[in-house]
Amino acid sequence: MPIEAGQPADSRPDRRRWVVGVDTHTDTHAAALVDALGEVHAQTEVSADPDGYIRLLAWAGEHLPAGQRMFWAVEGTRAHGHGLTRVLQAAGHQVIEAVPPVRGSRRRGGKSDRLDAIHAARTALINDHPATPRADGPREALRLLVTARQHYSTTRTATINV
């Protein structure tokens, strides 16, 4: 594959690189390949499963011009995009958390996964302080335990109050 591995996770993305913006959902992920100037060169939609992640990596490799480097801007890296983020990082790619579109402005023209993917990519190009996805490990396990405890506590209180 002609994709060059990304920089360490704590470094800022190089603005001269191309970016793949990904709008994630439960069943599908929409992606857009954008050059360093913000021009869209390719778009696709894949299933949100391991086969879809592999197809997305292959798609990016096919559409990225020779000699160009890229990084990924994924919406919801700890939610619907978690599986994709893991696969991309395991493959050596730099992944940043994409800034979601402002709800009011994006809903006026209707919901569009393809437009949200383009927005993710273009926003990543101009963001001076991109958020890196949180790592797995003890901290994430503790966060999940605390979240589950809060949920069960709230549910128990609601059940008692009924």
Side-chain angles (χ1 to χ4, degrees):
M1 230 187 259
I3 299 174
E4 187 175 316
Q7 301 169 347
D10 60 351
S11 64
R12 294 188 345 192
D14 181 353
R15 293 184 195 276
R16 295 169 296 178
R17 293 193 295 169
W18 290 41
V19 61
V20 176
V22 184
D23 181 38
T24 61
H25 295 282
T26 305
D27 299 322
T28 62
H29 295 336
L33 178 64
V34 175
D35 67 19
L37 299 176
E39 184 180 339
V40 179
H41 288 267
Q43 291 183 300
T44 191
E45 189 170 299
V46 297
S47 58
D49 58 27
D51 291 336
Y53 306 152
I54 292 169
R55 282 195 307 277
L56 189 56
L57 274 167
W59 169 85
E62 292 168 5
H63 289 87
L64 184 70
Q68 297 294 324
R69 298 180 315 147
M70 64 178 261
F71 65 100
W72 297 74
V74 179
E75 282 188 15
T77 58
R78 295 310 288 179
H80 296 306
H82 187 65
L84 175 62
T85 300
R86 281 182 169 177
V87 168
L88 294 172
Q89 289 176 332
H93 295 277
Q94 182 185 14
V95 180
I96 64 168
E97 175 76 36
V99 178
V102 177
R103 287 185 182 190
S105 65
R106 83 173 173 183
R107 297 294 184 224
R108 274 183 246 144
K111 172 72 171 117
S112 171
D113 296 341
R114 291 181 178 254
L115 289 177
D116 287 350
I118 294 168
H119 177 271
R122 288 180 175 161
T123 304
L125 288 170
I126 61 171
N127 192 349
D128 287 333
H129 303 287
T132 57
R134 286 180 270 167
D136 291 328
R139 182 172 187 257
E140 178 61 12
L142 183 60
R143 186 189 71 81
L144 290 173
L145 285 174
V146 169
T147 302
R149 182 173 186 258
Q150 288 172 341
H151 170 73
Y152 291 131
S153 178
T154 303
T155 302
R156 180 180 180 274
T157 302
T159 302
I160 291 171
N161 290 336
V162 171

